[in-house]
């Protein structure tokens, strides 16, 4: 590999870190008080559910699919967490387990019938939203005490969210990028024929990845309930697009099993910081979503340039 190719490769790997660092420095410059324990907690407390949702989406993208139902599913989990998990824990646990199983079955359906994942998951988004409304017709409910205590845990040196994000990146990286079965799971997206010729079942790998997406969607919904202390069927609808953006911003690709767990977590943190940065700029809320999109486009444009340079080298 020549020097220019190595440089382009390192640039692609470092882009999520650099994007996050630039935004963090900009936030500290605009609001120096954010450079404190309390300030970091306020800046990043919502990064954990977004990062968990991004990892969930990453599992689906790894096998060349896309999940458009994730936001509605997280909303369903939030409604269960704020009602059944609090009032009837066994029923709540059973409902969440059933959601994970249903996610795995959706993966099986997509594989066996060769259906477009976008169409299937778009249809499932209405199913999850309907179930969420049945569980909790109006916003309300109450988060379990243990969940609220966990999400408000005062850890030493830095807020709990930072420790949780670091642990999330390390655990998923080791499981997906360093383990033998992780290679098989990624291979199902990068080179499915070789995986199948090696004796591995593509059906099982796809069901596993969708089940993992369902599991981390549960974690995301519960973390969100622990932070907001109540539930709402529409609480996480924007997480669908945020999770996709986080994966791509973190170095993932839509095809080929090319993903980065640590990059996905950094991508989620960057998207969270972008909202705070725009608020500190006192930008009109009506323009903030558009401005977040511009920031994302700039970073992704850099990704395209880096990828072209890598291919040219």
């Amino acid at each position: 590999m020549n020097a220019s190719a190595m440089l382009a490769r390192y640039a692609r790997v470092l882009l999520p870190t650099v994007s996050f660092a630039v935004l963090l420095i900009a936030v500290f410059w605009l609001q120096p008080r954010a450079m404190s324990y309390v300030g970091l907690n306020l800046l990043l407390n919502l990064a954990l559910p977004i990062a968990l949702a991004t990892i969930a989406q990453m599992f689906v993208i790894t096998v060349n699919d896309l999940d458009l139902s994730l936001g509605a599913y997280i909303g369903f989990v939030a409604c269960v967490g704020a009602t059944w998990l609090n009032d009837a824990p066994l029923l709540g646990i059973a409902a969440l387990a059933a959601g994970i199983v249903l996610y795995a079955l959706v993966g099986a359906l997509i594989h066996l019938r060769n259906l477009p994942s976008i169409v299937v998951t778009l249809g499932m988004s209405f199913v999850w939203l309907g179930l969420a409304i049945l569980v909790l017709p109006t916003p309300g409910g109450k988060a379990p005490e243990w969940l609220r205590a966990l999400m408000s845990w005062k850890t030493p040196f830095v807020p709990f969210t930072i420790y949780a994000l670091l642990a999330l990146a390390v655990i998923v990286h080791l499981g997906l990028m360093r383990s033998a079965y992780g290679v098989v799971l990624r291979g199902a997206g990068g080179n499915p024929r070789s995986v199948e010729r090696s004796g591995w079942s593509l059906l099982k790998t796809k069901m596993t990845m969708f089940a993992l997406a369902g599991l981390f969607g549960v974690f995301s919904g519960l973390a969100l309930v622990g932070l907001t202390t109540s539930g709402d069927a529409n609480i996480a609808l924007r997480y669908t697009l945020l999770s996709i953006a986080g994966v791509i911003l973190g170095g993932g690709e839509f095809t080929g099993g090319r993903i980065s767990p640590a990059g996905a977590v950094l991508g989620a943190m960057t998207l969270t910081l972008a909202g705070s940065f725009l608020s500190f700029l006192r930008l009109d809320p009506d323009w903030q979503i558009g401005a977040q999109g511009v920031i994302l486009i700039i970073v992704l444009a850099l990704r395209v340039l880096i990828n072209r340079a890598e291919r040219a080298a």
Side-chain angles (χ1 to χ4, degrees):
M1 186 178 293
N2 58 40
S4 57
M6 286 288 291
L7 183 62
R9 181 178 180 182
Y10 285 133
R12 177 170 56 83
V13 172
L14 291 175
L15 184 60
T17 305
V18 172
S19 303
F20 174 73
V22 168
L23 264 180
L24 187 61
I25 292 170
V27 167
F28 286 161
W29 179 69
L30 289 171
Q31 184 54 265
R33 292 182 181 179
M35 203 182 308
S36 64
Y37 188 103
V38 175
L40 285 172
N41 190 45
L42 291 173
L43 283 176
L44 296 174
N45 65 342
L46 285 177
L48 182 56
I50 294 175
L52 288 164
T54 301
I55 292 296
Q57 186 71 250
M58 186 194 71
F59 286 124
V60 177
I61 288 178
T62 301
V63 288
N64 299 334
D65 288 319
L66 204 60
D67 183 8
L68 297 185
S69 68
L70 185 60
Y73 173 68
I74 293 172
F76 163 75
V77 172
C79 290
V80 171
T83 53
W84 293 349
L85 198 61
N86 195 35
D87 303 328
L90 290 179
L91 178 60
I93 292 171
L96 297 179
I100 296 171
V101 171
L102 186 52
Y103 244 79
L105 293 176
V106 168
L109 175 65
I110 290 171
H111 177 75
L112 292 173
R113 305 303 299 175
N114 197 26
L115 298 173
S117 59
I118 293 178
V119 175
V120 176
T121 57
L122 179 61
M124 284 302 301
S125 69
F126 297 105
V127 174
W128 293 122
L129 183 59
L131 290 174
I133 293 173
L134 286 175
V135 174
L136 189 63
T138 57
K142 182 182 177 183
E145 288 297 330
W146 61 268
L147 191 54
R148 290 200 297 176
L150 176 63
M151 297 309 299
S152 59
W153 185 15
K154 304 262 186 222
T155 52
F157 306 115
V158 294
F160 165 73
T161 298
I162 295 178
Y163 288 113
L165 289 167
L166 180 61
L168 174 65
V170 171
I171 291 170
V172 178
H173 177 82
L174 292 176
L176 199 57
M177 309 299 287
R178 296 297 182 186
S179 70
Y181 192 52
V183 173
V184 174
L185 294 175
R186 286 185 289 116
N191 196 339
R193 290 185 179 179
S194 295
V195 171
E196 199 167 29
R197 282 198 297 266
S198 299
W200 295 95
S201 169
L202 290 179
L203 173 62
K204 288 182 179 179
T205 56
K206 182 152 291 193
M207 289 182 69
T208 299
M209 293 303 261
F210 270 79
L212 285 170
L215 176 63
F216 278 80
V218 167
F219 293 156
S220 176
L222 293 180
L224 191 55
V225 169
L227 289 169
T228 60
T229 71
S230 62
D232 180 1
N234 300 304
I235 196 171
L237 292 182
R238 69 191 186 98
Y239 277 29
T240 298
L241 295 181
L242 283 176
S243 64
I244 297 171
V247 174
I248 303 305
L249 185 59
E253 304 283 351
F254 281 120
T255 58
R258 194 174 187 179
I259 45 90
S260 169
V265 171
L266 279 170
M269 295 171 70
T270 302
L271 292 172
T272 306
L273 272 184
S276 300
F277 172 69
L278 296 171
S279 296
F280 289 141
L281 284 177
R282 297 181 181 179
L283 192 67
D284 190 306
D286 293 335
W287 291 94
Q288 285 191 18
I289 295 177
Q292 280 182 304
V294 170
I295 292 173
L296 183 61
I297 289 171
I298 291 172
V299 175
L300 294 182
L302 291 173
R303 274 276 312 280
V304 172
L305 293 175
I306 291 170
N307 286 344
R308 286 181 179 176
E310 191 175 6
R311 286 195 295 268

